């Protein structure tokens, strides 16, 4: 190779390498993005006139997200369809048949929540996105297999998502963080003897549904993988952050999750209609950062967060914006 050919060859190689670098950077930038699930179907169902679990909750979330300027920064994900078979990883045939027959208007909406959450799991587990938030309703973490609505819940999307990630993506260990004011009794029940799912819940043990005793730590192979933390009325940011730092972080570091799911209930926020905690938007930002630090340390930042409760319409919307803003921006 003469000198001129060598220079041409080198320049070509450099160009190819630099294009490759740009391509990798673009893929990495895409992977670091946050997904967002929202859909008009989630506005369809009404439990009763003036019920606190109302479509207004999500209408306010949509408006606050729009006003915040965050929406264009998010990757809007389509809902996954044909997901009914996944209900049975958590729910009994009798439960699903009973919901379909007794709540014909709600069954498709609750099923669409599962479709939204599983779509978010796909995007994150396939490495297309870093994390995702699902602005969905009805909530799910009280949906036990009773054949009825339980605590405004029908299908436990977060529990179904955990099983889906394990089965489809062969992820062994799922951490579920639940900061809703209420204890996620159905999530606890689904994984109570399962060492593959670490369930961590902060809640008011004295409130609905009366479960969540801190003495309940799992059973059999699942002993130690269920952590219930009772918090009193008037719990502050400092109190709940203390619980996360002292109870969640050491357990999660020992567990080393392959994925983090969040039951993001904002009825633990100050001025909620049903809750009595005083957690502020800054508090939820910090809880989000703690979850993200764990996800960054153990599982490439993989988080899917799903709305649960939150009944002060404006307060819930504000907390969602702060939570999603943190999911978008925080780097551990
Ligand atoms: Zn709740």
């Amino acid at each position: 190779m003469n000198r001129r050919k060598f220079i041409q060859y080198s320049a070509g190689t450099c160009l190819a390498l630099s294009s490759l670098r740009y391509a990798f950077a673009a893929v990495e930038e895409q992977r670091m993005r946050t997904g967002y699930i929202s859909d008009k179907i989630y506005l369809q169902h009404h439990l009763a006139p003036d019920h606190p679990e109302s479509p207004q909750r999500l209408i306010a979330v949509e408006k606050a997200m729009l006003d915040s300027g965050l929406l264009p920064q998010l990757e809007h994900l389509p809902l996954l369809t044909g997901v009914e078979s996944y209900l049975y990883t958590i729910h009994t045939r009798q439960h699903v048949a009973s919901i379909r027959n007794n709540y014909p208007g709600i069954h498709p909406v609750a099923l669409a929540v599962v479709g939204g959450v599983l779509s978010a799991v796909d995007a994150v587990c396939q490495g297309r996105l870093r994390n995702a938030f699902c602005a969905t309703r009805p909530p799910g973490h009280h949906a036990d297999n009773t054949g009825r609505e339980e605590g405004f819940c029908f299908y436990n999307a977060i529990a179904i998502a955990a099983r889906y990630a394990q089965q489809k993506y062969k992820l062994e260990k799922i951490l579920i963080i639940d900061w809703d004011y209420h204890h996620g009794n159905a999530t606890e029940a689904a994984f109570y003897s399962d060492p593959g799912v670490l369930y961590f819940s902060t809640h008011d043990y004295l409130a609905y549904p009366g479960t969540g005793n801190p003495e309940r730590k799992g059973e059999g192979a699942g002993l130690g993988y269920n952590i219930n933390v009772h918090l009193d009325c008037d719990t502050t940011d400092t109190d709940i952050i203390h619980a996360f730092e002292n109870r969640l972080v050491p357990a999660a570091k020992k567990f080393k999750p392959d994925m983090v799911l969040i039951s993001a209930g904002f009825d633990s926020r100050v001025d909620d209609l049903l809750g009595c905690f005083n957690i502020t938007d800054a508090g939820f930002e910090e809880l989000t950062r703690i979850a993200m630090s764990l996800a960054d340390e153990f599982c490439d930042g993989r988080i899917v967060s799903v709305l649960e409760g939150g009944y002060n319409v404006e307060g819930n919307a504000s907390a969602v914006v702060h939570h999603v803003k943190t999911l978008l921006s925080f780097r551990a």
Side-chain angles (χ1 to χ4, degrees), residues 27 114 152 157 282:
V27 168
V114 174
F152 323 152

Side-chain angles (χ1 to χ4, degrees), residues 103-152:
Y103 308 89
I106 296 177
H107 165 77
V109 185
L111 190 62
V113 173
V114 174
V117 175
L118 297 191
S119 170
V121 171
D122 276 343
V124 169
C125 288
Q126 289 166 10
R128 288 185 275 128
L129 298 171
R130 181 190 191 202
N131 55 38
F133 178 74
C134 305
T136 48
R137 64 178 282 275
H141 69 158
H142 301 306
D144 232 334
N145 283 307
T146 59
R148 300 187 308 269
E149 172 242 321
E150 298 289 349
F152 323 152

Side-chain angles (χ1 to χ4, degrees), residues 26-287:
V27 168
E28 184 57 15
E29 194 183 311
Q30 176 71 19
R31 199 193 70 77
M32 294 307 281
R33 294 192 69 188
T34 293
Y36 187 64
I37 293 282
S38 70
D39 195 283
K40 284 202 281 292
I41 192 170
Y42 303 135
L43 305 179
Q44 275 181 14
H45 99 86
H46 300 248
L47 278 166
D50 299 324
H51 194 286
E53 207 293 275
S54 73
Q56 291 307 318
R57 298 175 64 223
L58 289 190
I59 291 168
V61 165
E62 252 348 76
K63 182 175 183 311
M65 289 294 292
L66 199 64
D67 293 347
S68 70
L70 293 176
L71 278 183
Q73 301 175 54
L74 299 165
E75 185 83 15
H76 292 253
L77 298 169
L79 311 190
L80 205 62
T81 54
V83 297
E84 187 151 342
S85 63
Y86 296 109
L87 296 179
Y88 304 112
T89 58
I90 294 295
H91 296 294
T92 60
R93 299 257 158 207
Q94 292 85 338
H95 177 74
V96 175
S98 174
I99 297 296
R100 192 193 287 109
N101 295 334
N102 295 314
Y103 308 89
I106 296 177
H107 165 77
V109 185
L111 190 62
V113 173
V114 174
V117 175
L118 297 191
S119 170
V121 171
D122 276 343
V124 169
C125 288
Q126 289 166 10
R128 288 185 275 128
L129 298 171
R130 181 190 191 202
N131 55 38
F133 178 74
C134 305
T136 48
R137 64 178 282 275
H141 69 158
H142 301 306
D144 232 334
N145 283 307
T146 59
R148 300 187 308 269
E149 172 242 321
E150 298 289 349
F152 323 152
C153 300
F154 299 86
Y155 299 133
N156 191 347
I158 206 98
I160 294 165
R163 282 283 177 255
Y164 181 78
Q166 288 179 320
Q167 290 174 6
K168 184 166 178 184
Y169 296 101
K170 310 298 175 209
L171 301 182
E172 285 180 15
K173 292 179 288 181
I174 311 293
L175 167 62
I176 301 179
I177 300 171
D178 187 335
W179 65 55
D180 190 280
Y181 168 71
H182 303 96
H183 178 240
N185 56 316
T187 309
E188 174 182 283
F191 305 114
Y192 201 60
S193 57
D194 185 346
V197 176
L198 175 60
Y199 179 58
F200 174 85
S201 174
T202 48
H203 52 267
D204 182 353
Y205 168 42
L206 305 176
Y208 175 90
T211 57
N213 187 330
E215 295 302 312
R216 284 181 53 82
K217 298 173 180 174
E219 66 185 7
L223 186 63
Y225 295 90
N226 191 80
I227 304 174
N228 287 328
V229 179
H230 164 74
L231 297 172
D232 287 318
C233 270
D234 299 323
T235 275
T236 63
D237 291 351
T238 309
D239 299 329
I240 195 166
I241 290 166
H242 184 266
F244 269 57
E245 285 177 343
N246 289 284
R247 302 294 310 280
L248 168 65
V249 170
K253 282 180 183 270
K254 199 169 150 209
F255 183 64
K256 300 182 174 57
D258 298 313
M259 179 168 201
V260 177
L261 301 175
I262 303 177
S263 267
F266 295 108
D267 42 11
S268 43
R269 187 182 182 276
V270 63
D271 291 334
D272 190 78
L273 301 184
L274 304 187
C276 62
F277 291 172
N278 289 332
I279 301 165
T280 69
D281 293 338
F284 288 115
E285 286 187 8
E286 186 56 29
L287 302 187

